[in-house]
Amino acid sequence: MNEQQGSIVCVGVGMTLGSHLSPLSRSYIEQADVVFSLVSDGLVEQWIGQMNPDVRSLQPYYHEGTSRLVSYNAMVAAMIAEVKAGKKVVGAFYGHPGVFACVPHKVIEQARALGYYGKMEPGISAEDCLFSDLAIDPGQFGCSHFEASQFMFYKRIIDPSAYLILWQVGIAGDLSLSKFSTGESYRQVLIDILSLHYPKDHQVILYEAPTLPIHSHRIESLPLSSLLHAEIHGYTTLVIPPCQELTRNMEVLQRLDAIDKDHKNIKLV
Amino acid sequence: MNSITDVLEKIGQQSNLKYSTEVDCELQLTEMRVPAVIRKVLIANDKSELAQLSDNKKDIICYVSAPAKEHEMPKDDNKPAEDEPKQGEQESA
Ligand SMILES: C[S@@+](CC[C@H](N)C(=O)[O-])C[C@H]1O[C@@H](n2cnc3c(N)ncnc32)[C@H](O)[C@@H]1O
């Protein structure tokens, strides 16, 4: 299919103002005909606003009481309309535009399906900051990530010997997708699910990366049961360290050992 | 130096300001010609004062993800959705 004139590029501006934006992403923002921004701090929004004469915030699409799916679809439609008008459109999203963010994925997919150019440019996500600030190497014990509500709505396989990271924990359990925060009764359900796999006194971590360079991160360790009354914001991520040691898979180890022995025998022959 | 975001961008890009003690930071900000009132707020790390100074009073929402696509969402009455989501099809990212 021949590509038509309009285009969409979704870039990540990272988490911290000034520190994380890549030169390429900045250039995309500066060169765009129109920029749509969705960031997590008013000052970051202002900062992006200075990089291009036509920057439009996606914040007005959120309405408490309206499903976020409706808001997300409207955001995608607004961007696609400009792409169809033949413009070079850029979506500037905080963090990494493809990490726990359906809007950038959707708009690129739709633009491509219509024959337009669509691309995603990575950014530094909350996850990246979390690994640095909490000194976690996801390769050490393994690490699974879930959107907190999805984790509650569906039966998932939990591995207590790996890290478990829950995103959007501030609205955990919201079936209506229309709340900006959920309260203690919803959180109690999450604690109950987690308590099936982790002791109630297991230390979990509430993490917040700084969005302004003058601030520091929040790392609060607390027992799982204390999550109920903890201060949790829209920008808080819940980190649950492993509570079990890795268990050897003896069957696989024996098979691998047998292969090693076979190889040694072949060499001897 | 005219806007707060210019100052913040500079701070975000300078490693020497990351190591700084309060006194160093004050000096650096003075050298960057940051007005005294903004300097004070920056050093005090006062987010709400900063938002006020920059005319920034908006409540920002940062959710961009959903637990499932519309037709895959469990219903409000807690009955399971007609077509249960298949692995790999859920929309969390
Ligand atoms: C829709 S996701 C967007 C993530 C973003 N695309 C990224 O790359 O980090 C929103 C969730 O990201 C996490 N998050 C956002 N800002 C954060 C921050 N400053 N520190 C830690 N986690 C954050 C929270 O779990 C929040 O509910």
Side-chain angles (χ1 to χ4, degrees):
Chain A
M1 196 190 309
N2 275 338
E3 267 169 12
Q4 307 186 51
Q5 210 197 345
S7 63
I8 175 78
V9 177
C10 290
V11 304
V13 304
M15 299 306 296
T16 310
L17 194 159
S19 306
H20 294 165
L21 179 62
S22 76
L24 180 57
S25 293
R26 188 179 190 121
S27 166
Y28 274 119
I29 293 172
E30 287 170 349
Q31 303 298 319
D33 294 323
V34 50
V35 178
F36 289 89
S37 78
L38 185 49
V39 295
S40 58
D41 187 292
L43 283 160
V44 176
E45 190 171 86
Q46 271 189 19
W47 177 55
I48 305 293
Q50 288 164 2
M51 293 179 196
N52 186 297
D54 190 356
V55 178
R56 306 176 197 175
S57 170
L58 289 171
Q59 285 293 324
Y61 289 91
Y62 289 107
H63 302 285
E64 195 150 26
T66 299
S67 166
R68 288 199 317 282
L69 292 174
V70 173
S71 306
Y72 297 158
N73 286 340
M75 292 176 191
V76 171
M79 289 190 266
I80 287 289
E82 296 298 341
V83 173
K84 283 182 175 167
K87 292 191 186 159
K88 249 199 270 175
V89 182
V90 163
F93 293 84
Y94 78 96
H96 186 306
V99 172
F100 286 84
C102 61
V103 174
H105 282 295
K106 239 183 193 171
V107 72
I108 291 172
E109 186 188 313
Q110 279 195 21
R112 285 180 181 160
L114 292 166
Y116 297 98
Y117 178 81
K119 172 147 171 50
M120 185 178 282
E121 204 42 57
I124 294 178
S125 73
E127 172 191 21
D128 297 310
C129 300
L130 182 157
F131 290 150
S132 300
D133 291 335
L134 296 177
I136 290 176
D137 177 352
Q140 193 182 6
F141 302 116
C143 181
S144 48
H145 295 257
F146 296 99
E147 199 277 337
S149 294
Q150 187 191 76
F151 179 79
M152 295 169 76
F153 298 163
Y154 299 100
K155 293 194 168 157
R156 310 306 306 243
I157 295 169
I158 299 169
D159 177 359
S161 64
Y163 282 96
L164 173 63
I165 299 184
L166 297 182
W167 300 64
Q168 300 201 147
V169 73
I171 44 170
D174 173 24
L175 273 168
S176 70
L177 302 188
S178 64
K179 296 186 170 69
F180 287 170
S181 69
T182 46
E184 288 181 6
S185 44
Y186 295 83
R187 227 183 271 169
Q188 184 61 60
V189 179
L190 176 62
I191 294 171
D192 290 346
I193 297 170
L194 290 169
S195 299
L196 297 173
H197 305 272
Y198 301 89
K200 285 222 161 78
D201 60 355
H202 185 58
Q203 290 289 310
V204 301
I205 301 163
L206 294 171
Y207 173 74
E208 289 164 11
T211 51
L212 300 183
I214 51 163
H215 295 139
S216 50
H217 50 245
R218 171 185 178 208
I219 297 175
E220 185 182 343
S221 281
L222 66 172
L224 174 58
S225 56
S226 300
L227 268 184
L228 191 64
H229 303 297
E231 191 179 327
I232 296 182
H233 305 114
Y235 47 88
T236 310
T237 299
L238 175 63
V239 180
I240 304 168
C243 70
Q244 276 178 18
E245 303 226 335
L246 295 169
T247 313
R248 284 168 194 257
N249 187 333
M250 293 314 292
E251 198 187 322
V252 170
L253 289 172
Q254 276 162 11
R255 275 184 68 189
L256 293 172
D257 193 41
I259 295 171
D260 279 351
K261 280 187 185 131
D262 271 359
H263 284 185
K264 252 187 225 152
N265 288 342
I266 291 165
K267 266 191 208 144
L268 285 177
V269 173
Chain B
M1 192 62 57
N2 38 26
S3 83
I4 292 183
T5 49
D6 286 340
V7 176
L8 290 170
E9 180 176 18
K10 263 264 155 42
I11 294 174
Q13 289 170 347
Q14 283 185 18
S15 58
N16 56 342
L17 284 175
K18 301 272 170 200
Y19 298 104
S20 291
T21 64
E22 222 171 80
V23 178
D24 287 339
C25 203
E26 169 96 61
L27 189 74
Q28 300 267 6
L29 293 173
T30 311
E31 276 171 10
M32 285 158 74
R33 290 197 221 125
V34 177
V37 59
I38 300 181
R39 255 184 357 240
K40 212 177 110 214
V41 172
L42 288 178
I43 289 167
N45 266 1
D46 190 332
K47 202 170 179 172
S48 59
E49 277 267 329
L50 197 61
Q52 266 183 359
L53 275 179
S54 59
D55 263 344
N56 205 304
K57 294 171 192 87
K58 264 183 266 166
D59 271 342
I60 289 269
I61 306 300
C62 70
Y63 304 120
V64 205
S65 187
K69 290 180 182 160
E70 271 120 303
H71 65 283
E72 293 169 344
M73 271 299 290
K75 300 285 177 285
D76 262 344
D77 61 7
N78 285 337
K79 289 198 189 110
E82 271 166 31
D83 46 344
E84 281 289 297
K86 296 173 200 92
Q87 275 290 348
E89 268 188 18
Q90 289 167 5
E91 185 175 329
S92 66

